[in-house]
Structure formats: structure tokens, C-alpha cells
Amino acid sequence: MKLTVNGQPAQFDVDPEMPLLWALRDVLGLMGTKFGCGIAQCGACTVMVDGMPRRSCVTPVGSLEDASITTIEGLAVGDRPHPVQQAWIDEQVPQCGYCQAGQIMSAVALLEENPEPSEEEIARAMTGNYCRCGTYPAIRAAILRASGQETGPPAANASERTIDRG
Amino acid sequence: MGKLGTITRRTLLVGTAAIGAGVAFVAWRVNQPLENPFRGNPDSGDTALNPFVLIAEDGTVTIVVPRAEMGQGVTTTLAALVAEELDVGLSDIAVIHGPASSAYYNAALITSAMPVEPWDDGMMADGFRQFAGIVGKVMGMQLTGGSTSTRDAFDRMRIAGACARETLKATAAEVWNVDRSTLQTRNGSVIDPSGPRSVRYAELASAAALREPITDIEPRDPSEWTILGRSQHRVDVPAKVRGAPIFGVDMAFDEMLYGTVAMGPLPGVKAKKADRNAALAIPGVRAVVPLSSVYGEGFGVIADNTWTAFKAREALAIEWESEESYGETELNAAFDEAFDAGGGDVHRDDGDVDSIFSEAAEDDILAADYAVPLLAHATMEPMNATARLKDGKLDIWCGNQAPTLVRRFCAEGLGLDEEDCRVHTMMLGGGFGRRAEFDFALYAAQMAERTDGIPVKVTWCREEDTRHDLYRPPARARCRARLDGDGAIAALDMQLASPSILGSLMGRMGMSAFGQDATMSEGAGNQPYRLENFRVSTPEIDLPLNVGFWRSVGNSNNAFFMECFLDEIARSADRDPLELRLSLLDGFEPAKAVLRKVGEMANWQGGSVGPNRAQGLAFCFSFNTSVAQIVEVSRDDDERISIDKVWCAADCGLVLDPAIVRAQLSGGIVFGLSSAMMQEITLKDGAVEQGNFDTYPMMRYHQCPSIEVSLSRRQTFMGGVGEPGTPPAAPALANAVAALTGERVRTLPLNKAVTFA
Ligand code: FES
Ligand code: FES
């Protein structure tokens, strides 16, 4: 089995039926891509295959000969986070964080295809990604920020004092 | 918040210990009274240990937190408490979960200085609060009751930081031969303005470790704060955005094995037939081992990777000796029987409910029955643990909310001494109460007995996770109110039937339950509503299934009953639901204030907002926090309902980090709305019917309303924030749907009666 993962050639010998998710995690040791359901319901396992978002839990590696895979680990350039990751930091999106690699991959795929998505387009692209912690409003804000459509002060602003002292 | 003046009255023991060339500051205190405005003043009596502030010789400041990070931002806030006093930046502090670091492990000095082990204090699982004291005493564990964990850390973390700061100053003062009081601290250095000169903490650490620590120090007044009270960048966010391997499920070793489990449908049900050969015939499958615990019987599969283990699990094609044919009919019968028999613990009995009802005309009585289903936690990270048994020592790596339980029962399960079992707490991909149990760790430990010292990572598939949860109990309410001619409530009687979480938990721990289970009535019986005649009783039902702590515990069902019924009372008495609640809350200003506030935010007009649009209101005081919410819904041409907006006004007293508090309340709202809209676990033929997310879904992005949270601060005590967002969400939604459609839905989930977009 030969493919490219985050720009590096990867070669391994597994059952071609093995889903890409488990090849990434258990064979290549890339733990950023997460298992949530295994049936393409939750999006936790989202990666990009040749630039398109894919649920790696239902994608057999055998179907990926010579494909180019990007996982969450492949987004940052050195120490510099990808702009979508930076927007996620600015908006302080994660709670438990487990779903967030999948969320970020879906958002990156969306913005590569459509740099200034409308609210509706965002909803369509993100609706396959579950977040049990309920960070959807923060995800929305981060996507708007990453696409330059939101420029106000981010969620965690140290000067913020907005408590009604009554 | 705790009154600062009370700190000095408590017994405070503070010590230092050398670690390498660094220093550890240790602070704890004994016997702290619990403040709860509605429950008298019980004494929690817990010995609260921790924290440790470690300053290494390279200057790194590390704090050891006894609580698990499951997304609630606790590591950030606890670090901020220390940073505020120690005058270091939040980004300069590393936070570790209990004994995960080897530096810490080697600090035998610290451990031996303690009456019990430091990570014992980790038993602060949200759901445990109500009877944490009881269980804690019985089991000799460190539990912190009620929302005092925040307050507890609030004082202790700051004191630890202040002691460290003053001791470092004293060390510098001695070197420079000046008075300590003339020195200042900033950015990790002690500064002598008269010099001017300065010295880094790192350079003082080893000398500081040798001196008697300065302990007569009060934490700073909030007016001096520069970090606390302001939203901080969370310390756990960068790793989570990078996809760093921080969760239990990410544990990896050069040489390791992988596994999964296949457990029986109900506790105690054994396998009648399992095709082990078929499983073992799959290339890469190493072993099929029997598993047994108080949670259930079944098998573990050990393989070369997780996917192969999942395949082998299916190949086992297990037939269970299911004598139990329990299903919805049996559940209904159990509830009917409980209501018919009446009785149960009486949690509140104000006035004389019976005589008020006996004198009432039929027309003056409003009665309604409500029902909510079993619910699963559905943490996004399925249950998992990694275990290694080598040279008689067991190591367990997992996200957990209760490390002492994990250690105790895994050691017991393998016949080891507790000292030979080490628990390494990883980040939790969601907890919500589920990871306060120990089943996932015990199975991994049992499987590690078969792997010759090689670590085995055992990951449950989603179906296994959904079908072997410790569920939010199913609950039903039988409510009656007698209304006066002028629309006042003359008497309110609520029978709240459910299985007891305390009973189920104690059963799992091999103990018999005792006393009332407060979770059976919390959210109704303990509310600040004042009614002259008000009774809440809790008939109990049996269930052949384990129940446990689910975000906000009993409040999640009882607030639904209470707040829906109040809404029905208001409608039938022709009163505004907000005004009705205000009239019942006399004497507790913070609750009235959040209700008024949320009314203002939503421009509340009693519920109607024109055609095809309506609002619903609910309130709940839980975990010492007052929360009022208004949900706005609308209906499209196809009668599909959207949840467009939620306004939330909350008062948890002092807010240490507004952004974290807002995020927690907002997340709690989504959690509550998900359950109200679409979630239910049902039983058929003695097994849970739902398996994966296709049958147990949750709210998706496009269904999520915009959420506006306002925080006020009238409460003089601090409350929790991880759970209180959840209870009002379901009743506020149900009340909004009733206002929209004119029809009251009294059974959850609502999607059995209406369609959501
Ligand atoms: S794990 Fe692939 S979509 Fe859930
Ligand atoms: S942040 Fe926890 S599941 Fe999304």
C-alpha cells in the first residue's frame, strides 16, 4: 500500500479493507484523526483525500493507492498554525476537544473550495460533524473569522469585563 | 465566593519539599463548612488536599490539579488561581493531572508528607456531588461535596500561590539582607526596587525548599486581580487544535496490542454461545478472553489493531442467555405500580398538602403526568483504557473522573495491592458523568493479564458504548396543583418516580444504600420556590439496568417536570409564567434577577411572538447556580420546528473566567436541547435497542440556535457552571413548543410528537 500522508510518502502492508482511520491511528501512529462512530455519522474521523473531505472510518485504504491524504497533523507549517487553526484558537472553540480535528478538517475543506461561504453554506458543510460539547456557535464564529467575514473582538479577550455587578 | 476573612480561621497546613533542585509548595486545609442557602449548613467535613505548586530548577512552574479536564476549562481556571498570586503569566504555567509526571512520582517527600495520596482528591466528578459526602466517608475516599470544589480550589490554589511567592521573597530577602516586605514580584522574578535588582524564581527554588515556608498570608483582594475575573486563553486549546495525542484513546507504545469488548446486554447476563474459533481465525487476532464485573459479563478480544479487534467482536456472534425479557411494557408497569403504591421518600413537605386537596373542588385541581426516558452520555470519545501488567504492577492510562475508584477496583479485580496499581489520567473526550465509573478500566486490566507485560489499548466500538452506559434514569412525575380563585397556587404535590442512582451505584460498589437519594428530587424539591403547601415525594422503581450520573443528574428530569407544570399552572390560571415564578421566589433575589434579566433579553411578552413563532421560559437553581432561559422556536410551512434562539441569564456568584463560564452554560444548553429534541434509550427483550449515532443522535450544527448568555453577580456564594446550563433547556423548549402549537407535550423526546427541522 503506497500513499502520501501530509506530504510524506507512506508505505505499509495491511488488509486493503482496513479503513484509513485505523491505518492512520494504529499503523502510522497519527492520533489526531479520531474514531467516533465508524459509520460516517459523526465526522470525528474527517481527513482530506486529494483535497476533498472524507470520513476515514468508512474509506478502505485499498481504495486510496497513490492518493494524497492530509490529516490535522499536516495543517500547521512548522510552529505556525493553519489560519483555520488560528481562528479556532482566537475563538477558543474546543471544550473537550475530541471532535475538533474533524471539525477543523471539514472547515479547511470548505474554505479551500469556497473562501467566503454564506451561513447556509457553512451549515451544509459542517452538519456532518457532531460536537457533544455543543461548540457549534464558536465553530460558526471561527469559520467566519477564518474567512475574513468576522473581524470583531474574539471570544477570549483579556480586557473583557462584561458581568452585571448588580 | 468564600469570604476572605474565613480563610485564616481554617486549619491550614503548608509545607515545602525539595524535588531535585526545585521546590514544591503544598497546601491543604481541614474541615470546611458548606454553604447552601436552602439546605441548612451541613458540614462537608472533607479533608481537602492539594494543590502542589512545583517550581523546577529550570524555572518551569507546574501545578498539579486534582481534577480531570473534560472540556470545562478547569485546568485553565485552577492555573489562573495560582498565577494570580505567584505573579507569573498563565502561559508560563504547566498543568498536570495528578501523578502523570515522573518528576512528581519521584517526589517521595511530598507523598509521605500527606495523610493520603494527593490524587485522591480527584473524585470531584460532577455527578457525585449530592451524596459525595456519604460515599466518600464510607469508602474512605476524598470527595468534595456540592459545588464547593470550585470554592475549595478557589481558596487553596490562591493560598498555595501566595505561600510560594512569599517564601521565594523571603529567600531573596535573606540573600540581599533586606526586609521581605520591601520586595515585589513580577513575571517570575523577585524584585528589589531599591537596588534595583532582581532574581528569577528558578534561581531561588532550591534554597526556598530548605526554608520554613511563609504561611501567614492572605490571598489578594479581588480588586488587585489582573488575571482572575477576565477571560483567558485556555491552556488546553493549542494541543486540541493541533490534534495532539492527549486523550486516553491516543495512548501509544512502540510495542503494544489493541482490543475491544463484547459485553452482555444486562448486568449478570452470560453468554450462551460464542464462536471463538471464528474470531480467532481472523488474521491478527491474538486472544479472546472472558471478562466479568459488576457491570456485566462478556469477552475481550485482543488483536494487532483496533479494526481487527472490532471484526473479531462481530465474528464472535454471541448468543446471550437472555432470560430477562424486559422491555417498555415492564417499564410502564413498574411506574404504574410505583405510583399506585405511593409512598417513597418525602423530600419536601411544607404545610399540609393533603388537607388542602381534600377540601378542593374537582375544578380547582390541575393534574398532569410527565415522562422522560433513559439517556446515554454519548461522549464523543468512546470508553477506552490502556493497561499494562508487568512485574506484578498494573499501569492504567485513561480519561477518568474518578481515579481512586479506577485504582481500587482494578487492583481488587486483579488481586493486587492498591499500591501496585497506578492510574494515569489523560484528557477526557467528554465525561458528563460517564467516566466517573470504572468498567472500561477494569476490562482493560483483565485483558492485560493475558498479554505478557505488553500494554493493551482497549477501545469500545460506539455500539458497545451506547449499550453499556450507566444511564440517566427514566423518570415520571405525577403532579397536582390546587389553584385559588385569584390564580395563586394553594398546594402543589409532586410524585417523582425513578430508580435510585445512589442505590444503583452502591450496588456496583458492593454496598447497600442508605438514607434519601437527594438526586431523585433535586431540581424540584430543593428549588427556592416558596409555596405554603408543597410536597415532593419519590416512589422508587427497580430497573434491571445500571443508572448513573448524567450531566446535571436529577435536575435534568425534575426541572423538566417542575418547570413544565408551572407553565401549565400559569396558563390555566391566566398568569404570565415569568410573573408566576417571580411571585414564588420571594426572598431569593438572585433567582428573581436572572428571571427578570432573561425576560428583558428576550423581550418576553408571555410567550407569544406572532404567528408561527413562540417563546418558552424555565428556571432552575442547581449546583448553587441560578439559571433562567428563554427558548424561541418557529415553524415553517411544513410544520417543522426550528430552535432559533436561546437566551440564558445566570448567576454563579463570583466569575473567575467569563468566557469559560459562558462556554460551559452554552454547551450545557445544547446538551439539554439534544435530549429534549431527540434522545431516548429504550429496552426491548432485555437489551438496549439503540446502538450507534444513527439511532441515538444528537443536535447537529444546522439545528443549533444562537445562544446569548448573560452573567450577573448577586449570589454571595459561588456555584458550579458545568451542569447548571442543562436543566432549564428541556422545559424551556417544551414550553416554547406548547406556546407555538397550543398543545402540551408531556413526554420526552419531543420528536415523538413534533418534527424538528
Ligand atoms: S468516526 Fe467516521 S464519521 Fe464517525
Ligand atoms: S469539543 Fe467535545 S465533542 Fe466537540
Side-chain angles (χ1 to χ4, degrees), chain B residues 243-273:
Chain B
I246 51 177
F247 299 97
V249 82
D250 299 335
M251 202 59 211
F253 296 86
D254 286 345
E255 191 188 15
M256 68 187 293
L257 288 164
Y258 301 81
T260 195
V261 300
M263 304 306 294
L266 293 173
V269 173
K270 293 194 167 64
K272 194 162 61 185
K273 230 168 85 189

PDB file of all heavy atoms in Angstrom, chain B residues 243-273:
ATOM      1  N   GLY B 243      -4.367  18.701  17.203  1.00  0.00           N
ATOM      2  CA  GLY B 243      -4.586  17.261  17.071  1.00  0.00           C
ATOM      3  C   GLY B 243      -3.556  16.468  17.849  1.00  0.00           C
ATOM      4  O   GLY B 243      -3.223  15.335  17.475  1.00  0.00           O
ATOM      5  N   ALA B 244      -3.052  17.028  18.924  1.00  0.00           N
ATOM      6  CA  ALA B 244      -2.027  16.343  19.722  1.00  0.00           C
ATOM      7  C   ALA B 244      -2.612  15.100  20.398  1.00  0.00           C
ATOM      8  O   ALA B 244      -3.805  15.058  20.715  1.00  0.00           O
ATOM      9  CB  ALA B 244      -1.485  17.305  20.777  1.00  0.00           C
ATOM     10  N   PRO B 245      -1.778  14.090  20.598  1.00  0.00           N
ATOM     11  CA  PRO B 245      -2.275  12.822  21.179  1.00  0.00           C
ATOM     12  C   PRO B 245      -2.437  12.913  22.690  1.00  0.00           C
ATOM     13  O   PRO B 245      -1.614  12.431  23.448  1.00  0.00           O
ATOM     14  CB  PRO B 245      -1.180  11.822  20.807  1.00  0.00           C
ATOM     15  CG  PRO B 245       0.058  12.650  20.689  1.00  0.00           C
ATOM     16  CD  PRO B 245      -0.361  14.022  20.254  1.00  0.00           C
ATOM     17  N   ILE B 246      -3.524  13.535  23.144  1.00  0.00           N
ATOM     18  CA  ILE B 246      -3.662  13.832  24.561  1.00  0.00           C
ATOM     19  C   ILE B 246      -4.762  13.030  25.244  1.00  0.00           C
ATOM     20  O   ILE B 246      -4.869  13.033  26.463  1.00  0.00           O
ATOM     21  CB  ILE B 246      -3.983  15.334  24.763  1.00  0.00           C
ATOM     22  CG1 ILE B 246      -5.167  15.737  23.874  1.00  0.00           C
ATOM     23  CG2 ILE B 246      -2.763  16.186  24.442  1.00  0.00           C
ATOM     24  CD1 ILE B 246      -5.606  17.176  24.040  1.00  0.00           C
ATOM     25  N   PHE B 247      -5.583  12.339  24.457  1.00  0.00           N
ATOM     26  CA  PHE B 247      -6.713  11.623  25.035  1.00  0.00           C
ATOM     27  C   PHE B 247      -6.329  10.192  25.400  1.00  0.00           C
ATOM     28  O   PHE B 247      -5.343   9.665  24.898  1.00  0.00           O
ATOM     29  CB  PHE B 247      -7.886  11.603  24.045  1.00  0.00           C
ATOM     30  CG  PHE B 247      -8.390  12.973  23.691  1.00  0.00           C
ATOM     31  CD1 PHE B 247      -7.974  13.605  22.538  1.00  0.00           C
ATOM     32  CD2 PHE B 247      -9.252  13.642  24.548  1.00  0.00           C
ATOM     33  CE1 PHE B 247      -8.418  14.885  22.218  1.00  0.00           C
ATOM     34  CE2 PHE B 247      -9.708  14.923  24.235  1.00  0.00           C
ATOM     35  CZ  PHE B 247      -9.290  15.543  23.069  1.00  0.00           C
ATOM     36  N   GLY B 248      -7.134   9.582  26.230  1.00  0.00           N
ATOM     37  CA  GLY B 248      -6.892   8.194  26.601  1.00  0.00           C
ATOM     38  C   GLY B 248      -6.733   7.314  25.375  1.00  0.00           C
ATOM     39  O   GLY B 248      -5.838   6.475  25.287  1.00  0.00           O
ATOM     40  N   VAL B 249      -7.583   7.564  24.392  1.00  0.00           N
ATOM     41  CA  VAL B 249      -7.609   6.721  23.206  1.00  0.00           C
ATOM     42  C   VAL B 249      -6.355   6.909  22.334  1.00  0.00           C
ATOM     43  O   VAL B 249      -6.121   6.141  21.412  1.00  0.00           O
ATOM     44  CB  VAL B 249      -8.917   7.021  22.419  1.00  0.00           C
ATOM     45  CG1 VAL B 249      -8.762   8.251  21.564  1.00  0.00           C
ATOM     46  CG2 VAL B 249      -9.388   5.820  21.633  1.00  0.00           C
ATOM     47  N   ASP B 250      -5.555   7.912  22.665  1.00  0.00           N
ATOM     48  CA  ASP B 250      -4.342   8.175  21.879  1.00  0.00           C
ATOM     49  C   ASP B 250      -3.091   7.515  22.448  1.00  0.00           C
ATOM     50  O   ASP B 250      -1.992   7.662  21.910  1.00  0.00           O
ATOM     51  CB  ASP B 250      -4.086   9.690  21.789  1.00  0.00           C
ATOM     52  CG  ASP B 250      -5.227  10.418  21.101  1.00  0.00           C
ATOM     53  OD1 ASP B 250      -5.933   9.775  20.301  1.00  0.00           O
ATOM     54  OD2 ASP B 250      -5.404  11.621  21.370  1.00  0.00           O
ATOM     55  N   MET B 251      -3.244   6.810  23.553  1.00  0.00           N
ATOM     56  CA  MET B 251      -2.083   6.211  24.216  1.00  0.00           C
ATOM     57  C   MET B 251      -1.356   5.268  23.244  1.00  0.00           C
ATOM     58  O   MET B 251      -1.981   4.437  22.597  1.00  0.00           O
ATOM     59  CB  MET B 251      -2.593   5.433  25.430  1.00  0.00           C
ATOM     60  CG  MET B 251      -1.563   5.206  26.480  1.00  0.00           C
ATOM     61  SD  MET B 251      -0.921   6.761  27.091  1.00  0.00           S
ATOM     62  CE  MET B 251       0.734   6.215  27.469  1.00  0.00           C
ATOM     63  N   ALA B 252      -0.056   5.390  23.173  1.00  0.00           N
ATOM     64  CA  ALA B 252       0.690   4.527  22.236  1.00  0.00           C
ATOM     65  C   ALA B 252       2.030   4.114  22.820  1.00  0.00           C
ATOM     66  O   ALA B 252       2.653   4.870  23.578  1.00  0.00           O
ATOM     67  CB  ALA B 252       0.885   5.259  20.908  1.00  0.00           C
ATOM     68  N   PHE B 253       2.435   2.919  22.490  1.00  0.00           N
ATOM     69  CA  PHE B 253       3.749   2.395  22.872  1.00  0.00           C
ATOM     70  C   PHE B 253       4.385   1.777  21.626  1.00  0.00           C
ATOM     71  O   PHE B 253       3.667   1.394  20.697  1.00  0.00           O
ATOM     72  CB  PHE B 253       3.608   1.303  23.933  1.00  0.00           C
ATOM     73  CG  PHE B 253       3.048   1.799  25.224  1.00  0.00           C
ATOM     74  CD1 PHE B 253       1.671   1.867  25.417  1.00  0.00           C
ATOM     75  CD2 PHE B 253       3.881   2.224  26.245  1.00  0.00           C
ATOM     76  CE1 PHE B 253       1.146   2.339  26.602  1.00  0.00           C
ATOM     77  CE2 PHE B 253       3.365   2.696  27.437  1.00  0.00           C
ATOM     78  CZ  PHE B 253       1.987   2.748  27.613  1.00  0.00           C
ATOM     79  N   ASP B 254       5.705   1.649  21.640  1.00  0.00           N
ATOM     80  CA  ASP B 254       6.364   1.015  20.493  1.00  0.00           C
ATOM     81  C   ASP B 254       5.820  -0.391  20.289  1.00  0.00           C
ATOM     82  O   ASP B 254       5.528  -0.799  19.187  1.00  0.00           O
ATOM     83  CB  ASP B 254       7.884   0.979  20.692  1.00  0.00           C
ATOM     84  CG  ASP B 254       8.483   2.363  20.500  1.00  0.00           C
ATOM     85  OD1 ASP B 254       7.761   3.224  19.942  1.00  0.00           O
ATOM     86  OD2 ASP B 254       9.627   2.593  20.919  1.00  0.00           O
ATOM     87  N   GLU B 255       5.735  -1.099  21.385  1.00  0.00           N
ATOM     88  CA  GLU B 255       5.163  -2.433  21.279  1.00  0.00           C
ATOM     89  C   GLU B 255       3.864  -2.452  22.060  1.00  0.00           C
ATOM     90  O   GLU B 255       3.871  -2.205  23.270  1.00  0.00           O
ATOM     91  CB  GLU B 255       6.129  -3.478  21.850  1.00  0.00           C
ATOM     92  CG  GLU B 255       5.663  -4.877  21.513  1.00  0.00           C
ATOM     93  CD  GLU B 255       6.468  -5.974  22.215  1.00  0.00           C
ATOM     94  OE1 GLU B 255       7.210  -5.666  23.173  1.00  0.00           O
ATOM     95  OE2 GLU B 255       6.322  -7.139  21.798  1.00  0.00           O
ATOM     96  N   MET B 256       2.792  -2.720  21.367  1.00  0.00           N
ATOM     97  CA  MET B 256       1.512  -2.749  22.065  1.00  0.00           C
ATOM     98  C   MET B 256       0.495  -3.605  21.322  1.00  0.00           C
ATOM     99  O   MET B 256       0.691  -3.945  20.157  1.00  0.00           O
ATOM    100  CB  MET B 256       0.966  -1.327  22.235  1.00  0.00           C
ATOM    101  CG  MET B 256       0.546  -0.649  20.946  1.00  0.00           C
ATOM    102  SD  MET B 256       0.091   1.085  21.186  1.00  0.00           S
ATOM    103  CE  MET B 256      -1.408   0.945  22.174  1.00  0.00           C
ATOM    104  N   LEU B 257      -0.584  -3.927  22.003  1.00  0.00           N
ATOM    105  CA  LEU B 257      -1.679  -4.669  21.399  1.00  0.00           C
ATOM    106  C   LEU B 257      -2.951  -3.828  21.520  1.00  0.00           C
ATOM    107  O   LEU B 257      -2.973  -2.842  22.268  1.00  0.00           O
ATOM    108  CB  LEU B 257      -1.848  -6.022  22.098  1.00  0.00           C
ATOM    109  CG  LEU B 257      -0.722  -7.018  21.779  1.00  0.00           C
ATOM    110  CD1 LEU B 257      -0.728  -8.163  22.776  1.00  0.00           C
ATOM    111  CD2 LEU B 257      -0.837  -7.526  20.349  1.00  0.00           C
ATOM    112  N   TYR B 258      -3.960  -4.242  20.780  1.00  0.00           N
ATOM    113  CA  TYR B 258      -5.209  -3.489  20.726  1.00  0.00           C
ATOM    114  C   TYR B 258      -6.361  -4.428  21.049  1.00  0.00           C
ATOM    115  O   TYR B 258      -6.288  -5.623  20.774  1.00  0.00           O
ATOM    116  CB  TYR B 258      -5.401  -2.891  19.334  1.00  0.00           C
ATOM    117  CG  TYR B 258      -4.286  -1.958  18.919  1.00  0.00           C
ATOM    118  CD1 TYR B 258      -3.085  -2.470  18.419  1.00  0.00           C
ATOM    119  CD2 TYR B 258      -4.417  -0.585  19.032  1.00  0.00           C
ATOM    120  CE1 TYR B 258      -2.046  -1.623  18.042  1.00  0.00           C
ATOM    121  CE2 TYR B 258      -3.389   0.277  18.655  1.00  0.00           C
ATOM    122  CZ  TYR B 258      -2.200  -0.255  18.156  1.00  0.00           C
ATOM    123  OH  TYR B 258      -1.189   0.590  17.791  1.00  0.00           O
ATOM    124  N   GLY B 259      -7.411  -3.862  21.611  1.00  0.00           N
ATOM    125  CA  GLY B 259      -8.520  -4.743  21.943  1.00  0.00           C
ATOM    126  C   GLY B 259      -9.850  -4.025  21.921  1.00  0.00           C
ATOM    127  O   GLY B 259      -9.926  -2.804  21.753  1.00  0.00           O
ATOM    128  N   THR B 260     -10.879  -4.834  22.088  1.00  0.00           N
ATOM    129  CA  THR B 260     -12.211  -4.279  22.260  1.00  0.00           C
ATOM    130  C   THR B 260     -13.012  -5.261  23.112  1.00  0.00           C
ATOM    131  O   THR B 260     -12.494  -6.330  23.464  1.00  0.00           O
ATOM    132  CB  THR B 260     -12.902  -3.991  20.913  1.00  0.00           C
ATOM    133  OG1 THR B 260     -14.029  -3.147  21.135  1.00  0.00           O
ATOM    134  CG2 THR B 260     -13.361  -5.276  20.220  1.00  0.00           C
ATOM    135  N   VAL B 261     -14.245  -4.877  23.453  1.00  0.00           N
ATOM    136  CA  VAL B 261     -15.037  -5.753  24.325  1.00  0.00           C
ATOM    137  C   VAL B 261     -16.387  -6.065  23.705  1.00  0.00           C
ATOM    138  O   VAL B 261     -16.876  -5.343  22.831  1.00  0.00           O
ATOM    139  CB  VAL B 261     -15.263  -5.117  25.727  1.00  0.00           C
ATOM    140  CG1 VAL B 261     -13.932  -4.858  26.420  1.00  0.00           C
ATOM    141  CG2 VAL B 261     -16.077  -3.838  25.635  1.00  0.00           C
ATOM    142  N   ALA B 262     -16.961  -7.177  24.134  1.00  0.00           N
ATOM    143  CA  ALA B 262     -18.305  -7.581  23.723  1.00  0.00           C
ATOM    144  C   ALA B 262     -19.016  -8.029  24.989  1.00  0.00           C
ATOM    145  O   ALA B 262     -18.813  -9.132  25.477  1.00  0.00           O
ATOM    146  CB  ALA B 262     -18.225  -8.735  22.724  1.00  0.00           C
ATOM    147  N   MET B 263     -19.827  -7.128  25.544  1.00  0.00           N
ATOM    148  CA  MET B 263     -20.420  -7.413  26.843  1.00  0.00           C
ATOM    149  C   MET B 263     -21.910  -7.757  26.717  1.00  0.00           C
ATOM    150  O   MET B 263     -22.586  -7.346  25.782  1.00  0.00           O
ATOM    151  CB  MET B 263     -20.242  -6.206  27.782  1.00  0.00           C
ATOM    152  CG  MET B 263     -18.800  -5.761  27.978  1.00  0.00           C
ATOM    153  SD  MET B 263     -17.671  -7.082  28.510  1.00  0.00           S
ATOM    154  CE  MET B 263     -18.299  -7.469  30.136  1.00  0.00           C
ATOM    155  N   GLY B 264     -22.400  -8.490  27.705  1.00  0.00           N
ATOM    156  CA  GLY B 264     -23.794  -8.919  27.719  1.00  0.00           C
ATOM    157  C   GLY B 264     -24.753  -7.756  27.822  1.00  0.00           C
ATOM    158  O   GLY B 264     -24.388  -6.676  28.285  1.00  0.00           O
ATOM    159  N   PRO B 265     -25.990  -7.973  27.394  1.00  0.00           N
ATOM    160  CA  PRO B 265     -26.948  -6.873  27.285  1.00  0.00           C
ATOM    161  C   PRO B 265     -27.359  -6.266  28.631  1.00  0.00           C
ATOM    162  O   PRO B 265     -27.690  -5.099  28.692  1.00  0.00           O
ATOM    163  CB  PRO B 265     -28.148  -7.513  26.587  1.00  0.00           C
ATOM    164  CG  PRO B 265     -28.008  -8.983  26.800  1.00  0.00           C
ATOM    165  CD  PRO B 265     -26.544  -9.252  26.896  1.00  0.00           C
ATOM    166  N   LEU B 266     -27.348  -7.062  29.690  1.00  0.00           N
ATOM    167  CA  LEU B 266     -27.706  -6.538  31.006  1.00  0.00           C
ATOM    168  C   LEU B 266     -26.707  -7.082  32.010  1.00  0.00           C
ATOM    169  O   LEU B 266     -26.116  -8.143  31.791  1.00  0.00           O
ATOM    170  CB  LEU B 266     -29.127  -6.977  31.401  1.00  0.00           C
ATOM    171  CG  LEU B 266     -30.301  -6.424  30.600  1.00  0.00           C
ATOM    172  CD1 LEU B 266     -31.596  -7.099  31.029  1.00  0.00           C
ATOM    173  CD2 LEU B 266     -30.413  -4.917  30.770  1.00  0.00           C
ATOM    174  N   PRO B 267     -26.530  -6.389  33.115  1.00  0.00           N
ATOM    175  CA  PRO B 267     -25.607  -6.901  34.131  1.00  0.00           C
ATOM    176  C   PRO B 267     -25.998  -8.322  34.534  1.00  0.00           C
ATOM    177  O   PRO B 267     -27.180  -8.613  34.739  1.00  0.00           O
ATOM    178  CB  PRO B 267     -25.788  -5.935  35.304  1.00  0.00           C
ATOM    179  CG  PRO B 267     -26.355  -4.699  34.714  1.00  0.00           C
ATOM    180  CD  PRO B 267     -27.151  -5.116  33.521  1.00  0.00           C
ATOM    181  N   GLY B 268     -25.036  -9.213  34.591  1.00  0.00           N
ATOM    182  CA  GLY B 268     -25.308 -10.566  35.057  1.00  0.00           C
ATOM    183  C   GLY B 268     -25.689 -11.547  33.960  1.00  0.00           C
ATOM    184  O   GLY B 268     -25.649 -12.756  34.176  1.00  0.00           O
ATOM    185  N   VAL B 269     -26.063 -11.051  32.798  1.00  0.00           N
ATOM    186  CA  VAL B 269     -26.452 -11.965  31.714  1.00  0.00           C
ATOM    187  C   VAL B 269     -25.192 -12.538  31.065  1.00  0.00           C
ATOM    188  O   VAL B 269     -24.312 -11.806  30.626  1.00  0.00           O
ATOM    189  CB  VAL B 269     -27.316 -11.228  30.661  1.00  0.00           C
ATOM    190  CG1 VAL B 269     -27.567 -12.140  29.462  1.00  0.00           C
ATOM    191  CG2 VAL B 269     -28.622 -10.780  31.281  1.00  0.00           C
ATOM    192  N   LYS B 270     -25.129 -13.870  30.993  1.00  0.00           N
ATOM    193  CA  LYS B 270     -23.930 -14.533  30.483  1.00  0.00           C
ATOM    194  C   LYS B 270     -24.122 -14.988  29.042  1.00  0.00           C
ATOM    195  O   LYS B 270     -25.242 -15.099  28.558  1.00  0.00           O
ATOM    196  CB  LYS B 270     -23.608 -15.754  31.351  1.00  0.00           C
ATOM    197  CG  LYS B 270     -23.197 -15.399  32.767  1.00  0.00           C
ATOM    198  CD  LYS B 270     -22.556 -16.634  33.428  1.00  0.00           C
ATOM    199  CE  LYS B 270     -21.842 -16.299  34.716  1.00  0.00           C
ATOM    200  NZ  LYS B 270     -22.702 -15.791  35.786  1.00  0.00           N
ATOM    201  N   ALA B 271     -23.007 -15.303  28.395  1.00  0.00           N
ATOM    202  CA  ALA B 271     -23.072 -15.803  27.015  1.00  0.00           C
ATOM    203  C   ALA B 271     -23.496 -17.266  27.040  1.00  0.00           C
ATOM    204  O   ALA B 271     -23.057 -18.045  27.876  1.00  0.00           O
ATOM    205  CB  ALA B 271     -21.723 -15.661  26.342  1.00  0.00           C
ATOM    206  N   LYS B 272     -24.392 -17.615  26.094  1.00  0.00           N
ATOM    207  CA  LYS B 272     -24.816 -18.996  25.966  1.00  0.00           C
ATOM    208  C   LYS B 272     -23.917 -19.658  24.924  1.00  0.00           C
ATOM    209  O   LYS B 272     -23.505 -20.800  25.061  1.00  0.00           O
ATOM    210  CB  LYS B 272     -26.278 -19.011  25.492  1.00  0.00           C
ATOM    211  CG  LYS B 272     -26.980 -20.323  25.614  1.00  0.00           C
ATOM    212  CD  LYS B 272     -28.504 -20.128  25.547  1.00  0.00           C
ATOM    213  CE  LYS B 272     -28.921 -19.506  24.207  1.00  0.00           C
ATOM    214  NZ  LYS B 272     -30.351 -19.208  24.158  1.00  0.00           N
ATOM    215  N   LYS B 273     -23.598 -18.898  23.894  1.00  0.00           N
ATOM    216  CA  LYS B 273     -22.818 -19.430  22.791  1.00  0.00           C
ATOM    217  C   LYS B 273     -21.968 -18.306  22.216  1.00  0.00           C
ATOM    218  O   LYS B 273     -22.438 -17.186  22.046  1.00  0.00           O
ATOM    219  CB  LYS B 273     -23.769 -19.921  21.692  1.00  0.00           C
ATOM    220  CG  LYS B 273     -23.463 -21.331  21.200  1.00  0.00           C
ATOM    221  CD  LYS B 273     -24.588 -21.873  20.345  1.00  0.00           C
ATOM    222  CE  LYS B 273     -24.453 -21.444  18.889  1.00  0.00           C
ATOM    223  NZ  LYS B 273     -25.657 -21.803  18.111  1.00  0.00           N
TER     224      LYS B 273
END
